[in-house]
Amino acid sequence: MSALVHDGTAILGRHLRRIGHAPAITVMTQTMPIVFLLFFGYVLGSALAAPGAAYRAFLVPGMLVATAAGGLMTGMLQAAQDSHRGITDRFRTLPVSRAAVPLGQALADLLASAVGTVPLILVGLAMGWRIEGTLPGALGGFALLLLFRFATTWVGILLGLVSKSEEAAGQLGSAAFMLPLLSNAYIPTDGMPAWLRTVSEWNPLSAVTTAVRELFGNARVPADAAWPVAHPVAGALLWSLGLVAVFAPLAVRRYARG
């Protein structure tokens, strides 16, 4: 256990320095969610049934969850780069805990995400969004966002390790952009066709988004929703913990096997 902590801390520092040496990527990952928030909030929001401040209060939690789901893309790209540039092979030759390398990457991404979310929250506040719930609820909402980010990063790490090339990982990462569109992150699912609503509400993003909205006091749980959305906090925790329980061991095993 001590070796895991020591080695994981070293790998964590390596990935934090790596993030610091790539400011362009950092700026892009922080800027794009803000651009989407402004676009959906002021352009598409004017055409929806709940325009103006009401829609922006609905939208900001969804955008926070969509940003948290970005751990899938960043985890995949970083793992693919290390794997196909020989860095992962070099780590395997060192007396380093096998779990420390992917764990360090996941923790570094979590810290970077926590800091990078602050500008998005500030823009949301400037747009009129407010946390209407209690302080414990708000803290629980932010904790759930970090847990979901941690979970999606493990999924991305595994996919990056099994990818055939960096280009393939980049293309698959771009396809992950569709996940928030097939959820209730941007629009309610009430008006969707029955089959599409079912797909959207069983999307993990929908459960997490509904839970965050409920904890922030921004929206009620929709009626007649699928189980993960009807019980959003429980559904979000089950999705997040389930993803970690499945993909973290698989990613560590894949890294150890090479």
Side-chain angles (χ1 to χ4, degrees):
M1 186 65 179
S2 60
L4 175 61
V5 174
H6 179 271
D7 297 340
T9 302
I11 300 298
L12 169 64
R14 181 252 177 185
H15 279 284
L16 290 177
R17 290 190 295 272
R18 177 184 188 179
I19 293 172
H21 292 158
I25 296 177
T26 303
V27 171
M28 183 184 68
T29 55
Q30 293 184 1
T31 302
M32 289 306 296
I34 295 175
V35 172
F36 280 119
L37 178 60
L38 294 173
F39 177 76
F40 280 97
Y42 288 106
V43 178
L44 294 185
S46 61
L48 296 176
Y55 175 66
R56 291 192 287 273
F58 174 89
L59 174 65
V60 172
M63 191 61 66
L64 290 172
V65 175
T67 303
L72 177 65
M73 182 182 299
T74 57
M76 190 187 315
L77 294 178
Q78 290 181 2
Q81 287 178 355
D82 285 351
S83 178
H84 294 290
R85 296 181 185 182
I87 297 175
T88 301
D89 291 333
R90 296 176 190 175
F91 280 133
R92 291 194 189 97
T93 64
L94 300 175
V96 178
S97 170
R98 290 295 183 256
V101 175
L103 177 61
Q105 178 185 337
L107 292 176
D109 181 87
L110 183 65
L111 292 176
S113 173
V115 174
T117 303
V118 173
L120 180 62
I121 293 174
L122 294 177
V123 173
L125 292 172
M127 294 173 63
W129 167 71
R130 296 291 185 272
I131 296 177
E132 306 292 343
T134 63
L135 178 60
L139 294 176
F142 286 118
L144 191 57
L145 287 171
L146 293 177
L147 175 61
F148 189 59
R149 176 77 182 203
F150 187 67
T152 57
T153 302
W154 278 109
V155 179
I157 290 173
L158 176 62
L159 294 177
L161 289 173
V162 301
S163 64
K164 299 299 183 181
S165 65
E166 290 185 42
E167 292 75 14
Q171 293 172 359
L172 185 58
S174 300
F177 172 76
M178 294 296 297
L179 291 176
L181 299 178
L182 294 174
S183 72
N184 62 3
Y186 303 146
I187 59 173
T189 58
D190 299 348
M192 295 181 179
W195 66 271
L196 183 58
R197 181 179 181 181
T198 300
V199 171
S200 298
E201 291 180 345
W202 280 96
N203 183 339
L205 273 74
S206 292
V208 180
T209 300
T210 306
V212 171
R213 286 184 181 129
E214 183 180 35
L215 291 170
F216 286 169
N218 294 141
R220 296 179 179 178
V221 177
D224 301 326
W227 189 91
V229 175
H231 305 82
V233 175
L237 288 173
L238 286 175
W239 271 119
S240 300
L241 295 175
L243 290 174
V244 174
V246 172
F247 285 93
L250 289 176
V252 172
R253 181 181 179 184
R254 178 67 185 188
Y255 165 79
R257 288 176 55 193

